[in-house]
Amino acid sequence: MTSNERISIIGTALAAPVTSPDRVAEFPVRDVWTGREYLVRMDADDLGVFVTTGARIEVRGEAGWTIPGRSWRGEASRTLLQAQEVTAGELLLAA
C-alpha cells in the first residue's frame, strides 16, 4: 500500500474539465512554480468553480500515481491529484 502526499498547487488549467459517466471531473493543470503537470480529479458535483483552458486555479488534495505521457501526442507525464478543493483565480488575486 502506498501513502499519498497531501499537496497544494497554484497552476494553469491546460483544458476544461471532462466529466465521466460516473460524475468524476478530470482536467490537466500545470504548476506555475515547478512546471510539473497534474491530472486533477474530483467529484463533478463538488467542483463548484467554472474551469476553462488557461484559468488560474489553486488545487488542494492528495498526489498519487504518475500517469505516463503519450509522446506521440506531445503529452508530459502527469501526477494524479485527487482534489478536495479547487479555488478559482479571482479568489487567488484577492488573497
Side-chain angles (χ1 to χ4, degrees), residues 3-61:
S3 62
N4 292 338
E5 177 186 3
R6 294 192 53 74
I7 65 170
S8 179
I9 64 166
I10 295 174
T12 303
L14 301 176
V18 174
T19 303
S20 68
D22 57 349
R23 304 285 305 145
V24 174
E26 181 176 278
F27 57 98
V29 174
R30 179 175 292 124
D31 186 326
V32 296
W33 304 112
T34 65
R36 190 172 179 183
E37 290 187 17
Y38 294 87
L39 184 61
V40 175
R41 287 185 179 166
M42 180 177 211
D43 186 302
D45 297 325
D46 294 338
L47 186 55
V49 295
F50 184 69
V51 177
T52 60
T53 302
R56 177 79 69 148
I57 58 174
E58 180 175 1
V59 182
R60 293 185 183 144

Side-chain angles (χ1 to χ4, degrees), residues 51-89:
V51 177
T52 60
T53 302
R56 177 79 69 148
I57 58 174
E58 180 175 1
V59 182
R60 293 185 183 144
E62 293 184 3
W65 301 301
T66 298
I67 302 165
R70 297 176 283 190
S71 59
W72 64 93
R73 294 189 68 190
E75 287 180 355
S77 294
R78 296 174 173 154
T79 300
L80 182 61
L81 177 54
Q82 184 63 44
Q84 277 88 37
E85 181 180 10
V86 176
T87 307

